[in-house]
């Protein structure tokens, strides 16, 4: 099943979902969310009982449990656990419980507007139910790959709100304490704007991952599962050729880290580094593009890669 709109992990188990027995004829539907019973403590996977199929023509939100924390505001990064349920059948479609909480940005350019609207103004510690109308397109997306979902279904999104934080504006370049260079590693010189020039030594490349901070930032440590904002330059050790550089494009890049979304050398080398840091990575093939190299052929299966990465933000 294709993911709806968030980086959530599909879970096929139907534990915790209670559905009223099917009648011989199509059961009557309701748009009344008070007929949906959601039990359990916030932070634990809820038990959801649907006594009558839910069908709404206009999306609506109900607060099951009201928290006492700050209100989620526009643009905030909101940490949630969630369950998606088919309002017609009661079947669970997707959940974060059993994995880890997910971060939703309350920005309609990054997250489905229907979810942004449903979570805005909700307090941290709350549990909410959003009944998503078919016109929002979520059911249609799900139905494309899941035969049990109809385009006309109402989708229930049950979410526990753990935190809400205003986004921190990313740095423009690495800032912190310079670290003395290490002999035998590539050297780095910086332009006025912070863009690095890498000089690779005329020696054999290391065969194991090298993680060497060049500047130690004073920000928080990067955690697996966060999205980091970076500036970077990447070169091939054997040729000194730059194959990719955000600096040349004139814009930063953002990647989930520690989740297998980038090459292993990045996941291993950048988790635990602090925001504001500049990190030199020397990545052997087995932690880069493997024996096959990159799809476009610019990186061979034997190439060791050198990156200089400025960690500008993490959320």
């Amino acid at each position: 099943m294709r993911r709806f709109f968030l980086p959530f992990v599909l879970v096929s188990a139907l534990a915790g979902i209670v559905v009223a027995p099917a009648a011989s004829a199509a059961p009557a539907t309701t748009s009344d969310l008070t007929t949906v019973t959601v039990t359990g403590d916030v932070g634990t996977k809820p038990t959801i009982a649907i006594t009558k199929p839910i069908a709404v023509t206009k999306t609506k939100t109900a607060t099951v449990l009201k928290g006492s924390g700050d209100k989620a505001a526009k643009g905030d990064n909101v940490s949630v656990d969630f369950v998606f349920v088919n309002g017609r059948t009661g079947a669970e479609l997707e959940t974060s419980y059993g994995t880890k909480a997910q971060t939703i940005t309350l920005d309609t350019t990054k997250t489905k507007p229907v979810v942004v609207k449903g979570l805005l103004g909700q307090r941290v510690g709350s549990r909410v139910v959003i009944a998503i109308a078919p016109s929002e397109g979520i059911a249609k997306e799900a139905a494309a790959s899941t035969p049990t979902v109809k385009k006309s279904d109402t989708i229930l999104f049950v979410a526990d709100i753990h935190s809400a934080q205003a986004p921190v504006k990313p740095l423009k370049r690495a800032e912190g304490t310079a670290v003395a260079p290490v002999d035998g590693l590539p050297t780095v010189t910086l332009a006025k704007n912070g863009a690095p020039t890498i000089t690779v030594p005329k020696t054999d490349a290391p065969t194991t991952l090298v993680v060497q901070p060049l500047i130690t930032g004073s920000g928080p440590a990067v955690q697996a599962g966060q999205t980091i904002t970076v500036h970077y330059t990447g070169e091939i050790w054997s040729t000194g050729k730059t194959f990719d550089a955000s600096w040349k494009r004139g814009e930063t890049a953002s990647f989930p880290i520690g989740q297998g979304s980038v090459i292993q050398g990045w996941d291993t080398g950048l988790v635990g580094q602090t925001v504001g840091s500049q990190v030199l990575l020397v990545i052997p093939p087995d932690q880069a593009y493997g024996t096959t190299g990159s799809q476009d052929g610019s990186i061979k299966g034997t190439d060791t890669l050198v990156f200089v990465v400025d960690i500008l933000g993490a959320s």
Side-chain angles (χ1 to χ4, degrees):
M1 173 180 171
R2 187 162 63 85
R3 297 171 181 175
F4 296 148
F5 52 87
L6 301 173
F8 294 156
V9 178
L10 176 65
V11 174
S12 59
L14 303 182
I17 308 300
V18 180
V19 188
S24 56
T29 62
T30 181
S31 62
D32 185 1
L33 293 188
T34 62
T35 63
V36 179
T37 304
V38 183
T39 56
D41 296 331
V42 171
T44 61
K45 188 174 182 179
T47 297
I48 304 169
I50 299 175
T51 57
K52 186 182 291 187
I54 301 296
V56 300
T57 57
K58 185 178 180 180
T59 296
K60 58 172 63 177
T61 301
T63 303
V64 178
L65 296 171
K66 187 175 182 179
S68 58
D70 294 335
K71 289 184 178 181
K74 184 177 181 180
D76 279 0
N77 292 318
V78 179
S79 175
V80 301
D81 270 309
F82 73 94
V83 182
F84 277 110
V85 174
N86 188 325
R88 175 177 56 85
T89 66
E92 179 181 304
L93 302 175
E94 196 171 342
T95 186
S96 67
Y97 290 97
T99 56
K100 64 189 307 180
Q102 302 293 316
T103 299
I104 299 173
T105 302
L106 299 188
D107 179 339
T108 56
T109 66
K110 299 179 180 179
T111 305
K112 288 286 189 180
V114 63
V115 172
V116 173
K117 183 178 179 180
L119 295 181
L120 276 174
Q122 298 289 345
R123 290 189 178 276
V124 172
S126 295
R127 170 172 284 168
V128 300
V129 178
I130 305 174
I132 304 175
S135 60
E136 303 288 356
I138 303 301
K140 182 178 180 180
E141 293 178 22
S145 57
T146 306
T148 57
V149 178
K150 297 180 179 180
K151 293 187 290 185
S152 58
D153 284 343
T154 293
I155 303 297
L156 301 181
F157 177 56
V158 181
D160 289 349
I161 303 174
H162 302 311
S163 67
Q165 297 179 333
V168 178
K169 187 176 181 179
L171 302 171
K172 293 184 178 180
R173 59 184 291 181
E175 297 178 0
T177 304
V179 177
V182 175
D183 290 342
L185 294 181
T187 58
V188 178
T189 57
L190 302 179
K192 288 184 178 180
N193 67 346
T197 296
I198 305 170
T199 302
V200 179
K202 298 183 183 299
T203 58
D204 292 339
T207 57
T208 58
L209 177 68
V210 174
V211 181
Q212 178 57 50
L214 305 176
I215 297 172
T216 301
S218 60
V222 172
Q223 299 178 33
Q226 290 186 310
T227 295
I228 59 172
T229 299
V230 299
H231 254 318
Y232 67 92
T233 295
E235 291 191 0
I236 298 172
W237 181 288
S238 61
T239 64
K241 179 181 178 180
T242 299
F243 62 87
D244 193 12
S246 63
W247 291 97
K248 290 185 177 180
R249 295 192 296 272
E251 60 183 12
T252 60
S254 296
F255 304 98
I257 198 70
Q259 294 183 315
S261 298
V262 292
I263 59 175
Q264 184 182 343
W266 273 54
D267 275 345
T268 302
L270 297 182
V271 170
Q273 303 294 328
T274 53
V275 173
S277 295
Q278 182 178 81
V279 183
L280 172 70
L281 300 174
V282 181
I283 306 177
D286 64 331
Q287 295 194 51
Y289 289 91
T291 57
T292 59
S294 62
Q295 289 184 348
D296 63 5
S298 62
I299 299 171
K300 299 177 182 178
T302 56
D303 283 336
T304 293
L305 306 183
V306 181
F307 285 95
V308 173
V309 183
D310 285 18
I311 305 174
L312 307 178
S315 61

